[in-house]
DNA sequence: GCTGTAACCTGTCGGC
DNA sequence: TGCCGACAGGTTACAG
């Protein structure tokens, strides 16, 4: 499922239910997801207050009052649904555990909650179990094996034309594969790489090291634009992504190439049709007329 | 070091 | 209707 815009949408949805509140009870319903959960995860979560909720790449980071950070990755099919007390606008009808609800956090109610004694219920659901959860000392977070090698945030100051040109120089791998490499830029996935390359007019097959500075500059702008628009739309819902209140994102209606094989290219003046090709086992959607 | 592929696991969809 | 294969938004490990 989730690329950067979907994860950011989930993080924003979790804030009213979690930030500043204690975890009263943690239901850990299996031993792990992609990897085993950390030892005594239930005990380490219960009683901890969530001081802040951040996002790094596709990871949600919950800084706890205990000095540890809860690291959550939603994998391909993960979702987080909030139900319970309706304060802050998070209402979802589900109040009992569903299939694939692997971890459920029962949160402390806020003072203004209209149902005293009933805080939010936060359920981490992941059918394919490619997601992960871990606990790690907040002060050493940059050393965590999943976070240590991540490249810059695409919406941050460190990611610019100079950085990208430097990382692509000399590479013969297709630009599509290079942009999926989280060490080069952190947070992009298959959908938004396809969309950004189309906006920049660059073929997904072009060798990464053979793109001019001028086109790299356009690509940086295209990546930022498509991510910002997707966040504003609440992400893209194809199969699994849901906001924390169960609603769908709607950026999929604005796709220019992804999933549009055989349809007309949306670039003004272009008469091409969208093609699908497989690169590294994954679908790339592009227009051969206006992407070179 | 770089590159491509297999593997992880489950649900959905299309074809027969 | 039921079965089967292909495919799906991510990431790591491994072989070449």
């Amino acid at each position: 499922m989730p690329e950067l815009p979907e994860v950011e949408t989930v993080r924003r949805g979790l804030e009213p239910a979690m930030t500043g509140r204690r975890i009263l009870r943690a239901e850990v319903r299996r031993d792990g997801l992609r990897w085993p959960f950390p030892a005594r995860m239930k005990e380490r979560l219960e009683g901890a207050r969530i001081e802040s909720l951040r996002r790094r790449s596709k990871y949600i980071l919950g800084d706890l009052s205990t000095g540890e950070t809860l690291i959550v990755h939603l994998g391909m099919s993960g979702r987080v649904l909030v139900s319970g007390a309706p304060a802050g606008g998070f209402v979802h009808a589900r109040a009992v555990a569903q299939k694939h609800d692997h971890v459920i956090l029962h949160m402390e109610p806020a003072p203004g909650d209209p149902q005293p004694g009933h805080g939010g219920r936060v359920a981490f659901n992941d059918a394919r179990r490619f997601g992960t959860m871990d606990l790690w000392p907040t002060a050493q977070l940059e050393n965590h094996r999943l976070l240590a090698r991540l490249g810059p945030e695409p919406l941050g100051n460190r990611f610019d034309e100079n950085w990208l040109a430097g990382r692509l120089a000399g590479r013969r791998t297709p630009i599509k594969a290079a942009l999926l490499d989280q060490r080069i830029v952190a947070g992009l996935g298959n959908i938004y790489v396809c969309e950004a390359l189309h906006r920049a007019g660059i073929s997904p097959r072009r060798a990464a090291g053979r793109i001019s500075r001028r086109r790299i500059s356009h690509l940086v702008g295209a990546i930022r634009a498509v991510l910002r628009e997707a966040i504003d739309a609440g992400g893209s819902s194809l199969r699994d992504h849901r906001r924390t209140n169960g609603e769908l994102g709607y950026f999929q209606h604005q796709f220019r190439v992804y999933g549009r094989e055989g349809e007309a290219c949306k670039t003004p003046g272009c008469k091409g049709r969208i093609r699908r090709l497989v690169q590294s086992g994954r679908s790339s959607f592009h227009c051969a007329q206006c992407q070179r």
Side-chain angles (χ1 to χ4, degrees):
Chain A
M1 152 216 161
E3 304 183 32
L4 188 154
E6 289 74 39
V7 176
E8 177 61 20
T9 299
V10 169
R11 187 199 69 78
R12 292 180 183 184
L14 289 175
E15 280 209 302
M18 299 185 81
T19 303
R21 303 196 191 201
R22 277 193 310 132
I23 299 168
L24 296 182
R25 188 162 65 89
E27 291 182 54
V28 181
R29 300 163 60 85
R30 59 180 305 119
D31 295 336
L33 295 171
R34 177 167 187 172
W35 294 291
F37 289 140
R40 299 176 52 254
M41 184 167 82
K42 172 182 170 69
E43 291 76 14
R44 288 156 74 181
L45 288 173
E46 287 183 343
R49 184 184 308 281
I50 299 189
E51 306 290 2
S52 63
L53 272 181
R54 299 179 283 150
R55 180 191 56 73
R56 173 75 172 106
S57 182
K58 301 170 191 173
Y59 296 88
I60 294 173
L61 306 175
D63 296 322
L64 306 178
S65 55
T66 55
E68 293 191 300
T69 293
L70 174 63
I71 302 169
V72 178
H73 192 289
L74 300 176
M76 295 271 270
S77 56
R79 56 175 75 165
V80 187
L81 290 173
V82 178
S83 57
F90 55 90
V91 185
H92 192 262
R94 275 180 22 173
V96 294
Q98 302 289 304
K99 192 177 182 183
H100 306 305
D101 278 354
H102 304 306
V103 175
I104 302 170
L105 302 180
H106 298 269
M107 305 303 300
E108 174 184 53
D113 281 350
Q115 289 180 290
H118 295 276
R121 174 185 175 284
V122 180
F124 295 83
N125 182 290
D126 184 7
R128 291 172 71 182
R129 305 209 297 271
F130 285 176
T132 188
M133 293 179 81
D134 202 0
L135 285 164
W136 199 257
T138 305
Q140 299 168 36
L141 212 49
E142 66 273 16
N143 298 327
H144 191 279
R145 65 184 180 90
L146 297 174
L147 306 175
R149 295 185 301 164
L150 290 175
E153 289 287 319
L155 296 176
N157 293 332
R158 268 184 65 210
F159 178 69
D160 60 13
E161 173 190 335
N162 289 332
W163 167 270
L164 189 56
R167 294 310 306 269
L168 299 183
R171 287 199 168 222
R172 288 180 293 179
T173 192
I175 183 64
K176 168 76 186 300
L179 292 178
L180 287 174
D181 185 339
Q182 303 296 299
R183 294 168 298 183
I184 293 177
V185 56
L188 295 180
N190 205 32
I191 290 178
Y192 297 107
V193 167
C194 289
E195 293 294 316
L197 286 172
H198 180 260
R199 291 182 183 215
I202 297 172
S203 167
R205 283 192 278 218
R206 177 160 292 278
R210 294 180 57 87
I211 302 174
S212 70
R213 289 288 291 225
R214 185 179 62 82
R215 300 182 82 202
I216 289 176
S217 177
H218 285 157
L219 179 57
V220 167
I223 290 169
R224 288 197 168 128
V226 74
L227 292 178
R228 287 200 179 103
E229 290 172 31
I231 290 171
D232 288 344
S236 306
S237 293
L238 298 182
R239 289 179 172 77
D240 299 311
H241 172 58
R242 292 289 185 280
R243 303 194 203 203
T244 55
N245 59 7
E247 292 178 359
L248 302 175
Y250 52 90
F251 189 70
Q252 65 277 11
H253 302 304
Q254 299 174 49
F255 286 168
R256 299 185 188 181
V257 288
Y258 192 86
R260 296 188 62 244
E261 182 179 15
E263 297 181 35
C265 178
K266 291 184 175 180
T267 300
C270 179
K271 292 185 167 55
R273 294 205 167 268
I274 304 306
R275 296 183 188 174
R276 172 179 172 270
L277 62 92
V278 177
Q279 294 177 288
S280 307
R282 310 191 67 186
S283 293
S284 290
F285 296 91
H286 70 116
C287 171
Q289 293 282 317
C290 64
Q291 288 180 256
R292 300 291 177 151

